[in-house]
Amino acid sequence: MHLNDINLELQEKDKNIVDMMSCINAFKRKWKLLKEEIKNKDCRNFPTLLLQQNSESFVSYVNEVTKILSEFERRFEDINKMENILSFLSYPFTCTNVHEISSSCSNYFNMECTALEDEMLKIILDINLKARAGNSHSYSYWSSISEIKYPFMKQIALQITAFFASTYLCESAFSHMKTIKSKYRTRLTNDQLTACLHLALTENIPNYENFAEDHQCHASTSALK
C-alpha cells in the first residue's frame, strides 16, 4: 500500500524533478521510521501484522524494509547527488556551502567553477532578487532572472527545469494515440494524427468567441424565402 501511494504520487501531472526528489526523500524518511516501528513491534502502520505474534516474522519484515530502502538508494543515486544543486536553485539565499555546490554544478554542467562561485555569491546577496522570490521555496522566479547578469546559473536553472522527471507525458501521448488511431480510423495520415495529438495533449484552451468573431455568418437564402 505504501509503495502504491508513492507510485501514484510520482505519476501526478506537472511534477518537476524538485517535486520528485521531495517525494522520494519524504518516502525514504517515512520508511526508516516504519522500519524502527516494526523493530519495536509497533504496528500502527501495519495493522495486519498485529495478527502475527512470531518474533521471527517481525525480523523478516525488517529485512524486507531494509531491502526496499537499499533499492531506493540505488535507483535514485543520480538524483541524490544533485540534491544540493536543486536545494540551492529552490532557495539560494540561505546557502552556506557555495564551494561545494559550485563544484557539483561544474562537474554536472561542464562550467568554470570560479565563475559559478562568483554568480552564486551575487545571487545570495542580491536583495532585489530575494524580495522577488519572497519566502516561498520555489525555482519559478528563475525565469525572470537576467541572463546577462547570471548567465551560468540561468543556464543551469533552465536545464534542470527541462528535465523530464517522469514518463507521464510519454505515457499520456501513447494513451491518446491508441484512442485516436483505432481500427475505425485507420486512414488517418501521420500529419492528421500529429494534429489530433497536439489538441489532445495541449493545456491551452482556444478562445472560441474570438474565432467566431473572425468569421461572418452567412444566412441561407432558401430559409428567407
Side-chain angles (χ1 to χ4, degrees), residues 35-205:
K35 178 181 175 180
E36 294 300 319
E37 289 181 356
I38 297 176
K39 278 185 177 180
N40 298 325
K41 298 184 180 181
D42 182 354
C43 301
R44 71 185 77 175
N45 287 294
F46 298 95
T48 54
L49 287 182
L50 290 173
L51 303 176
Q52 301 188 29
Q53 301 297 328
N54 190 349
S55 300
E56 294 182 0
S57 299
F58 284 93
V59 173
S60 63
Y61 285 120
V62 169
N63 293 334
E64 290 299 321
V65 172
T66 303
K67 290 179 182 178
I68 293 175
L69 280 171
S70 300
E71 183 66 12
F72 264 73
E73 292 291 346
R74 185 189 67 81
R75 285 177 178 266
F76 300 102
E77 182 180 2
D78 293 337
I79 295 180
N80 291 335
K81 292 179 180 178
M82 296 182 63
E83 183 173 355
N84 57 351
I85 301 175
L86 299 177
S87 298
F88 179 85
L89 292 175
S90 297
Y91 196 78
F93 310 105
T94 57
C95 176
T96 58
N97 54 343
V98 173
H99 179 71
E100 179 183 343
I101 297 176
S102 62
S103 298
S104 299
C105 290
S106 178
N107 294 331
Y108 272 102
F109 301 98
N110 194 23
M111 296 179 178
E112 207 276 314
C113 187
T114 304
L116 284 171
E117 284 185 358
D118 184 54
E119 286 191 16
M120 287 180 180
L121 290 172
K122 288 180 180 179
I123 288 174
I124 293 171
L125 300 174
D126 192 327
I127 298 175
N128 291 327
L129 182 59
K130 185 175 182 179
R132 191 185 311 167
N135 295 323
S136 61
H137 290 247
S138 174
Y139 60 90
S140 57
Y141 61 88
W142 283 95
S143 59
S144 60
I145 290 178
S146 171
E147 190 173 353
I148 299 175
K149 189 174 182 180
Y150 304 112
F152 294 111
M153 293 307 304
K154 176 82 171 185
Q155 184 179 349
I156 291 173
L158 290 176
Q159 289 188 39
I160 288 181
T161 305
F163 283 175
F164 283 98
S166 72
T167 58
Y168 173 85
L169 291 176
C170 181
E171 293 173 1
S172 179
F174 275 111
S175 297
H176 283 293
M177 185 177 69
K178 186 177 180 181
T179 303
I180 294 170
K181 195 171 183 177
S182 63
K183 63 180 181 180
Y184 304 106
R185 304 180 70 185
T186 56
R187 298 182 65 182
L188 283 175
T189 65
N190 289 335
D191 291 339
Q192 291 170 337
L193 178 60
T194 301
C196 290
L197 282 174
H198 284 166
L199 289 173
L201 295 173
T202 184
E203 296 182 356
N204 297 326
I205 302 176

